[in-house]
Amino acid sequence: MNKLSLEELISRVDEIPVFSQTVNRIIQITEDPKSTAKDLESEIMKDQGLTTKILRLANSSYYGVSRNIKSVSEATVLLGFQAIKSMVFASTVGKVMERELPGYALEREGLWRQSQMCAITARTLAKKIKFPKPDQVYTAGLLRDIGKVILDTYMKEQFELIVQEVELHNKTFLEVEAEVLGYNHSEVGARIADKWNLPQDLIEAIACHHNPEQATINPKMTAMIHIADGLMMMMGYNIGIDGLNYKFSDDTMTLLSIDESVLTEIMSEVADLIGDEGIFF
Ligand SMILES: [Fe+2]
């Protein structure tokens, strides 16, 4: 079996064409405080598919804008650069995640749907607790399991072994990944996010989404991703075979000063959003 070390794996990831030049440029523009809505629009317009997706998302009830948004620059002014960036991530990363991941028992597009759901749930939670960067939380929710995509691409044979172990011994993928590979999908995802120059708190949220107590940079953001991930299971969207082996950390609820009634509200809001919007999928 061709087992790669974490370093070898990360160095190979350049071979995966994740972000096009246009997308990289869009990310740069959204991070530059001198950029204008026009700069962003002219770059996005180079990609017709992306333009369409952004306009559909901007007009969805998810963003809660009552007027009809007709241009990308209008969407940018109304929703802000961070929202546009999260939409760009949402539409781009989706292409990578749409592939089948047999090792994780996820059906085609399953991981992508689940990641979208987690992102929407995390953002809903962020807004509920008035967290200042809901769109960054959305991106973190979207990317939390990107490490699974990377592992699946390079470690197919090991996955079969991992799946067997998970099924036989009632363990989590996280535990078995560490035993078989010496590292897990959270570590892989965090390293990739670092390679993409994503913000440190976002990298941490990916790294610690199963171990939120280890977060030090922005524990609240990590806590939200952990909770959103857990809610996926409660809502039945986590279709990995190890779903029930994960434990949900109550400390994260204390950290965010929320109780179970807030979780119930979030689940019902998310169900409504998903109900009206086939748009996310
Ligand atoms: Fe995960």
Side-chain angles (χ1 to χ4, degrees):
M1 266 200 271
N2 181 25
K3 186 159 120 184
L4 301 172
S5 72
L6 182 56
E7 296 308 321
E8 287 165 335
L9 177 66
I10 302 304
S11 70
R12 289 207 184 174
V13 172
D14 280 338
E15 297 161 19
I16 308 177
V18 179
F19 296 142
S20 66
Q21 266 194 336
T22 302
V23 170
N24 276 321
R25 184 76 195 109
I26 290 166
I27 293 167
Q28 278 170 18
I29 292 172
T30 56
E31 280 166 5
D32 182 351
K34 285 179 292 210
S35 302
T36 65
K38 275 281 161 214
D39 296 335
L40 191 58
E41 179 172 48
S42 61
E43 199 60 39
I44 289 173
M45 298 279 279
K46 291 178 186 168
D47 185 331
Q48 186 51 49
L50 194 58
T51 305
T52 310
K53 278 184 184 154
I54 286 176
L55 288 177
R56 283 174 63 197
L57 261 176
N59 283 299
S60 73
S61 60
Y62 177 52
Y63 278 96
V65 179
S66 53
R67 56 188 283 196
N68 192 8
I69 297 175
K70 293 190 190 63
S71 70
V72 172
S73 62
E74 205 180 340
T76 309
V77 170
L78 281 168
L79 306 174
F81 276 26
Q82 288 308 314
I84 302 295
K85 186 163 81 173
S86 72
M87 290 179 200
V88 171
F89 268 115
S91 58
T92 311
V93 178
K95 285 183 197 152
V96 184
M97 289 187 174
E98 273 164 11
R99 294 172 314 106
E100 203 170 354
L101 294 183
Y104 285 94
L106 293 175
E107 60 197 26
R108 188 164 180 75
E109 295 187 19
L111 179 58
W112 174 228
R113 265 166 210 269
Q114 196 197 93
S115 298
Q116 286 274 43
M117 287 287 300
C118 182
I120 292 165
T121 306
R123 186 175 183 272
T124 305
L125 173 56
K127 290 187 88 175
K128 184 129 305 211
I129 67 161
K130 300 190 165 52
F131 186 76
K133 297 186 282 189
D135 289 298
Q136 198 147 330
V137 176
Y138 176 92
T139 309
L142 193 68
L143 296 179
R144 82 203 193 288
D145 274 348
I146 190 78
K148 287 183 181 176
V149 178
I150 308 296
L151 285 173
D152 174 65
T153 307
Y154 294 102
M155 301 279 181
K156 278 214 183 307
E157 290 171 50
Q158 280 82 2
F159 272 163
E160 283 173 26
L161 180 64
I162 291 170
V163 172
Q164 279 173 17
E165 286 288 299
V166 167
E167 285 175 337
L168 275 172
H169 303 293
N170 208 29
K171 291 179 177 174
T172 64
F173 267 103
L174 215 60
E175 291 167 321
V176 182
E177 282 164 351
E179 285 167 15
V180 173
L181 305 171
Y183 48 87
N184 61 50
H185 72 272
S186 310
E187 293 174 86
V188 174
R191 290 289 301 271
I192 298 303
D194 183 46
K195 207 166 168 166
W196 292 341
N197 292 319
L198 296 177
Q200 288 300 317
D201 49 1
L202 209 153
I203 296 171
E204 178 180 72
I206 296 171
C208 303
H209 71 278
H210 294 296
N211 300 95
E213 67 288 346
Q214 289 172 9
T216 55
I217 302 168
N218 194 337
K220 283 191 176 176
M221 186 188 286
T222 300
M224 283 184 274
I225 303 307
H226 178 78
I227 289 173
D229 192 85
L231 288 179
M232 291 301 97
M233 276 175 256
M234 293 165 75
M235 294 167 85
Y237 292 106
N238 193 322
I239 51 178
I241 55 171
D242 67 332
L244 297 173
N245 300 342
Y246 283 114
K247 288 186 186 65
F248 191 84
S249 158
D250 288 338
D251 293 347
T252 51
M253 305 224 332
T254 312
L255 179 68
L256 301 177
S257 313
I258 56 169
D259 57 21
E260 300 218 346
S261 69
V262 176
L263 298 187
T264 310
E265 279 171 40
I266 288 168
M267 285 194 278
S268 116
E269 281 175 36
V270 170
D272 285 350
L273 279 168
I274 303 303
D276 333 315
E277 304 297 337
I279 195 163
F280 296 106
F281 309 125

